[in-house]
Amino acid sequence: NVWIQAPDVDLAILTLDNPEEEQAFFYDKQDPSKSIALQFSDMLPSLQERVQVCGFPTGGKTICVTEGVVSRIDVRSVSVDTRVNALSIQIDAAINSGNSGGPVFDNSGKVAGVAFQKMADKSSDNIGYIIAASTVRAFLSRCHDAKQQAAITAAAAQPPPPQQQQQQQQ
C-alpha cells in the first residue's frame, strides 16, 4: 500500500499488509526484535566508484544484487509526470523492473541512492539511474513534516474532552 508519495521526485513510502513479510524484510533474522536500519551516505559517490543495486528484478523471495560503477552525476528529470529536475547518478549496474525503489550501496556500505530508471533504447547498454541519497533525505524530511502536520490537523479536528468542554462553557 502507498502510504505517502512524491511524484516530483518519483519516490514513495509503502506499507506491508502481511506481518510475516514485514518481519522477514525489515528485521534482523538472528534477533527479530531488532529492525534493520540503513544509513544514507552524506556524500555523493565518486566517478568510477563501485556501487551495488539491490532489489527483486524477477520477483521471488530472495534479493538480487548487481554491481557496477558510477558513470555520471547530473541533474535530469526524475519524474514522467512533473518534469522536475533533480540530482541523479548514472551507473552501469543492471537496473530492471523490480529494482526500482531498491537501495544502491556505495563502497562504504551506505545508501548512495535509490534505483529508479534504466535507459531502454537500442543504442545503449547498461545505463541506469539512481536518485541521490540527498534527494531521498529531503523526501523523508517532507514525509516527517507531512506526518506531523496531519497529526496536528487531526488533533485540531477532535472535540475537546468533556472536562475541557465544561470549563470552556463556564
Side-chain angles (χ1 to χ4, degrees):
N1 298 325
V2 176
W3 179 66
I4 193 165
Q5 63 183 343
D8 60 325
V9 290
D10 197 25
L11 292 170
I13 295 179
L14 308 177
T15 60
L16 299 175
D17 290 333
N18 184 328
E20 290 173 4
E21 288 178 353
E22 182 177 334
Q23 187 71 29
F25 196 75
F26 294 110
Y27 290 87
D28 187 320
K29 288 178 182 26
Q30 278 71 40
D31 185 354
S33 66
K34 285 185 176 175
S35 64
I36 298 170
L38 301 177
Q39 290 185 328
F40 287 93
S41 178
D42 293 326
M43 297 173 35
L44 289 171
S46 303
L47 291 177
Q48 297 303 306
E49 181 174 339
R50 293 200 94 41
V51 291
Q52 294 180 324
V53 179
C54 299
F56 297 88
T58 56
K61 295 194 183 269
T62 58
I63 200 157
C64 178
V65 179
T66 59
E67 189 171 84
V69 298
V70 173
S71 307
R72 177 186 298 175
I73 299 172
D74 204 357
V75 175
R76 69 187 308 268
S77 176
V78 296
S79 175
V80 175
D81 294 336
T82 62
R83 297 289 179 203
V84 172
N85 289 332
L87 189 60
S88 67
I89 301 167
Q90 180 182 318
I91 62 174
D92 69 356
I95 293 180
N96 295 298
S97 179
N99 281 117
S100 295
V104 178
F105 295 97
D106 63 14
N107 278 338
S108 67
K110 293 182 178 179
V111 177
V114 173
F116 85 98
Q117 185 179 57
K118 73 174 183 175
M119 188 173 285
D121 64 24
K122 293 180 181 179
S123 65
S124 58
D125 291 321
N126 294 338
I127 296 179
Y129 294 96
I130 67 174
I131 298 169
S134 57
T135 302
V136 177
R137 273 196 308 277
F139 163 70
L140 292 172
S141 178
R142 285 173 26 193
C143 293
H144 181 264
D145 293 347
K147 185 177 177 184
Q148 284 186 323
Q149 186 59 45
I152 291 168
T153 303
Q158 296 295 319
Q163 183 181 12
Q164 242 184 352
Q165 285 178 350
Q166 291 172 355
Q167 289 173 353
Q168 287 174 352
Q169 292 172 354
Q170 294 174 356

